[in-house]
Amino acid sequence: MVRDDWFTVQQIDSDTYAISEYGHWEKVHSFLLIGQDKAILIDTGLGIGNIRKVTDQLTDLPVEVLTTHVHADHIGSHGQFDTFYVHEEELDWIVNGIKGRTDEQIRKDMTRDITIPTPPGFEPETYRPFRGVPSETVKDGDVFDLGSRLLRIYHSPGHSPGHITIHDEMKGYLFTGDLLYDGTPVYAFYPTTNPEDLVRSLERIADIPGVTRVFGSHHTVGLDPQILPEVKSAARELRERDLVRFGTGIHRFPSFSVQF
């Protein structure tokens, strides 16, 4: 039993957990994957609560952080961990901040529409997105061995230039970050996004074999893998209708939507 007033912990299996922030409008999920030798935390959330206090209750193993992408709602608590990784395309973002997004803009997004009491010590007026130097950068094809558990990295740009998708090859879990989730549109309409890259990335992850469950970083925890054939069909339809470009709006499909 994990005790925390900010985070909600959902056990996916005996050594996999979703750590969710349902009190914030983004409803963002981080995921703890435990191997025999070490654990990987996929993203660290908003930085409103202390996620390290949660992971310490779930495992005694060393915890390293894999970053799906360098947006503020995914890197908020990176500073609580000694080792974290980002894709090489977003090294500058994690060190110097996202181009075109001021701290003030990010602060407004991160501190609005909060529906439960925030933890002691959290001050909305002084919230600042995390910046720091990663232990290493990652690239497409890298493999992380946790001890009897292998994670393969797929570079999946579009939502951001260095976005990655993580495939737990032994369990078949696919952690898609902000490339694929339900509830609200996956977006590629900011200047730092790329609609064509997003569709290519969706097509690529749809072909990954042996996927048993899809875990996006927002809304529903765990999507049926049948969403992947739907993604492939949707990508084909978007191309045929010449919609894969900025300004074409929101495009809805049975299980997900995208916005360009």
Side-chain angles (χ1 to χ4, degrees):
M1 175 70 80
V2 174
R3 299 186 179 278
D4 193 273
D5 292 333
W6 177 254
F7 294 100
T8 298
V9 176
Q10 178 178 336
Q11 187 169 8
I12 296 166
D13 63 31
S14 61
D15 47 20
T16 310
Y17 298 86
I19 306 172
S20 306
E21 299 178 72
Y22 288 118
H24 186 275
W25 64 275
E26 295 240 48
K27 295 178 173 52
V28 65
H29 312 300
S30 304
F31 297 95
L32 182 67
L33 284 53
I34 302 171
Q36 290 187 346
D37 301 327
K38 65 180 180 181
I40 284 285
L41 180 62
I42 298 176
D43 296 338
T44 61
L46 297 155
I48 292 174
N50 187 335
I51 202 170
R52 182 61 184 264
K53 288 183 178 178
V54 176
T55 61
D56 283 350
Q57 293 179 67
L58 294 172
T59 182
D60 294 327
L61 292 172
V63 177
E64 300 178 355
V65 173
L66 264 176
T67 314
T68 61
H69 62 298
V70 181
H71 284 168
D73 55 322
H74 297 261
I75 62 170
S77 292
H78 272 39
Q80 296 166 5
F81 298 88
D82 294 332
T83 302
F84 68 90
Y85 306 89
V86 303
H87 189 272
E88 54 195 0
E89 290 288 332
E90 293 182 10
L91 175 60
D92 181 63
W93 282 13
I94 197 80
V95 173
N96 299 309
I98 298 175
K99 298 294 184 290
R101 291 283 287 167
T102 66
D103 285 359
E104 181 60 29
Q105 289 173 313
I106 293 170
R107 183 179 300 115
K108 287 179 179 178
D109 275 345
M110 293 300 103
T111 60
R112 67 178 173 87
D113 299 334
I114 294 174
T115 58
I116 65 174
T118 55
F122 173 69
E123 299 293 341
E125 298 80 10
T126 58
Y127 179 95
R128 187 172 182 268
F130 173 81
R131 292 191 182 114
V133 178
S135 307
E136 291 182 45
T137 58
V138 299
K139 62 184 184 304
D140 188 76
D142 282 351
V143 175
F144 284 75
D145 186 352
L146 312 188
S148 298
R149 193 169 190 178
L150 298 177
L151 309 180
R152 186 172 299 275
I153 305 300
Y154 289 81
H155 184 208
S156 51
H159 179 73
S160 71
H163 190 288
I164 63 170
T165 294
I166 300 154
H167 187 211
D168 184 337
E169 294 189 331
M170 296 179 180
K171 293 180 182 287
Y173 299 158
L174 191 65
F175 297 91
T176 54
D178 281 7
L179 173 64
L180 180 61
Y181 52 79
D182 67 353
T184 57
V186 172
Y187 70 76
F189 57 83
Y190 284 153
T192 54
T193 66
N194 186 308
E196 187 64 43
D197 282 350
L198 185 85
V199 171
R200 274 195 296 266
S201 293
L202 287 170
E203 290 172 322
R204 187 182 185 203
I205 67 160
D207 285 334
I208 295 174
V211 174
T212 60
R213 207 77 178 152
V214 176
F215 294 95
S217 289
H218 300 275
H219 305 291
T220 301
V221 176
L223 301 172
D224 191 287
Q226 284 304 309
I227 196 173
L228 297 177
E230 181 185 325
V231 161
K232 198 161 188 177
S233 174
R236 183 169 57 250
E237 179 181 335
L238 288 167
R239 291 189 187 284
E240 289 172 351
R241 296 174 60 195
D242 189 28
L243 295 172
V244 188
R245 50 193 171 83
F246 285 126
T248 60
I250 298 175
H251 311 292
R252 302 186 188 280
F253 304 94
S255 303
F256 77 106
S257 58
V258 296
Q259 183 174 2
F260 298 141

